[in-house]
Amino acid sequence: MNNRVHYSHCPICNSTSINPLLTVKDYTVSNEEFVIWQCGQCTLRFTQDIPDAASIGAYYQSEDYISHTNTSKGLVNQLYQRVRKLTLEQKAKLIQQVTGLSTGALLDVGCGIGAFVHTMQQKEWQATGLEPDANTRRLSKELYGLDLQDASELYSLTPTSFDAITLWHVLEHVHDLHAYIEQLKSLLNSNGRLFIAVPNYQSVDANIYGSTWAAYDVPRHLYHFTPKSIQTLMSQHGLQVISEKPMWFDSFYISMLSSKYRFGKTKLVGSFISGLRSNLTALANRERCSSLIYIIKKG
């Protein structure tokens, strides 16, 4: 276990009020089981005994990992591909509305195959993409002609040079959480905005599927956030959450994957109903949404 990370304190608030909660299986790659713990102070859940940063790469090596492969294999991924074009446009519109800029400088961290970078470049933004996986960067070059940079370049970029920084389902993968947030803060200009999208375990679909909720995605997801834990993390770095935006499609996508994990195959009707139930609850209280985009500014 020398290559495993064991927490004795909460990774966000440093509280020792942490306890094991549930055991979750890695359905994507290894079939290993990992224990998720919860902090009694800030509500963060985190995967205990995760592979360290040097060892976790093997857990991403799957043709089913869509952000790295652009696969259309299987019903769930086919539906994901159909919806993605719409969500890319929605994200682009959100960036422009929040920043008040029709064009500007954008950094997409953990950009996968670069679909969002490509979308923003088409809208004449100076969009830079960072991606840790070399094979995914090569695929991005083939698909979009993009020259993505390695994720390690994050610490070499010019301070205060971006109007917008986006992390679409990325923060839950970052080992060195506090240093990462501090660096992102330094890269924002004074009026810049940080957009962080992460799953929310307080959602109805998370409650329905329990340990088979696909958004736990152990061990790749190191942390499992709530609005309170995100706000706690940002405040520690002089950042302020100014808005939360729901990601309505995520409840359906996650429910379909969760259904596959629980039953061995996707039950479309049941997963659609679960996703719909989750969204209906979130209409009254968006902090119950399956995934949220947090819009953040310098405090």
Side-chain angles (χ1 to χ4, degrees):
M1 296 267 290
N2 290 336
N3 64 339
R4 297 297 173 107
V5 178
H6 185 87
Y7 296 103
S8 58
H9 298 75
C10 171
I12 284 184
C13 71
N14 210 37
S15 170
T16 57
S17 179
I18 57 173
N19 292 286
L21 184 69
L22 72 164
T23 300
V24 178
K25 182 179 177 180
D26 172 14
Y27 291 92
T28 305
V29 176
S30 69
N31 291 318
E32 293 176 50
E33 291 185 337
F34 293 83
V35 179
I36 291 177
W37 289 44
Q38 181 165 329
C39 176
Q41 290 294 113
C42 71
T43 73
L44 178 76
R45 290 180 182 175
F46 56 93
T47 308
Q48 188 67 280
D49 296 319
I50 53 171
D52 63 19
S55 307
I56 202 164
Y59 291 88
Y60 286 88
Q61 302 308 310
S62 169
E63 63 179 19
D64 293 329
Y65 203 69
I66 191 168
S67 68
H68 282 186
T69 64
N70 200 40
T71 181
S72 295
K73 179 183 176 181
L75 176 63
V76 175
N77 287 331
Q78 290 174 17
L79 292 172
Y80 175 91
Q81 293 282 11
R82 293 183 180 184
V83 170
R84 183 169 65 177
K85 185 175 181 180
L86 173 61
T87 59
L88 287 171
E89 288 297 325
Q90 289 176 337
K91 290 172 181 176
K93 184 177 180 181
L94 177 66
I95 301 300
Q96 292 173 319
Q97 287 178 337
V98 170
T99 62
L101 300 172
S102 57
T103 62
L106 177 138
L107 175 66
D108 190 22
V109 180
C111 63
I113 60 169
F116 186 64
V117 173
H118 177 65
T119 297
M120 296 306 289
Q121 287 184 353
Q122 287 186 315
K123 298 182 183 301
E124 299 185 353
W125 278 65
Q126 298 175 27
T128 301
L130 302 182
E131 168 54 42
D133 185 74
N135 290 329
T136 305
R137 295 197 300 272
R138 284 193 289 270
L139 180 58
S140 176
K141 182 72 171 179
E142 295 173 11
L143 290 171
Y144 302 116
L146 295 175
D147 292 311
L148 303 179
Q149 299 179 40
D150 186 85
S152 61
E153 295 299 315
L154 178 73
Y155 295 93
S156 302
L157 297 172
T158 304
T160 67
S161 57
F162 293 99
D163 301 296
I165 301 176
T166 56
L167 293 86
W168 306 119
H169 290 290
V170 169
L171 192 66
E172 61 267 38
H173 298 265
V174 174
H175 279 78
D176 197 359
L177 189 59
H178 290 279
Y180 221 76
I181 294 296
E182 199 62 31
Q183 178 63 8
L184 294 173
K185 176 185 174 182
S186 75
L187 294 175
L188 277 179
N189 63 36
S190 58
N191 294 316
R193 295 292 182 265
L194 178 60
F195 300 78
I196 294 178
V198 288
N200 174 24
Y201 77 74
Q202 291 182 332
S203 64
V204 169
D205 51 297
N207 185 59
I208 290 171
Y209 290 103
S211 63
T212 57
W213 187 51
Y216 281 130
D217 197 24
V218 297
R220 290 160 295 278
H221 287 193
L222 314 180
Y223 322 102
H224 315 283
F225 294 103
T226 62
K228 180 178 179 179
S229 59
I230 286 287
Q231 290 161 5
T232 300
L233 175 61
M234 296 305 150
S235 66
Q236 289 177 336
H237 295 274
L239 295 165
Q240 180 184 353
V241 177
I242 58 175
S243 184
E244 299 165 359
K245 301 292 184 183
M247 302 183 78
W248 299 115
F249 288 111
D250 279 32
S251 64
F252 297 107
Y253 176 66
I254 292 300
S255 291
M256 285 189 291
L257 276 179
S258 302
S259 173
K260 180 181 178 182
Y261 294 167
R262 174 172 286 187
F263 302 110
K265 64 179 181 179
T266 302
K267 296 193 174 184
L268 275 179
V269 174
S271 56
F272 177 82
I273 291 171
S274 296
L276 184 61
R277 283 179 58 193
S278 186
N279 282 348
L280 289 173
T281 300
L283 281 173
N285 179 5
R286 67 179 49 188
E287 294 197 348
R288 298 288 305 281
C289 197
S290 185
S291 293
L292 286 163
I293 302 171
Y294 297 89
I295 301 171
I296 298 157
K297 70 173 185 178
K298 291 185 176 181

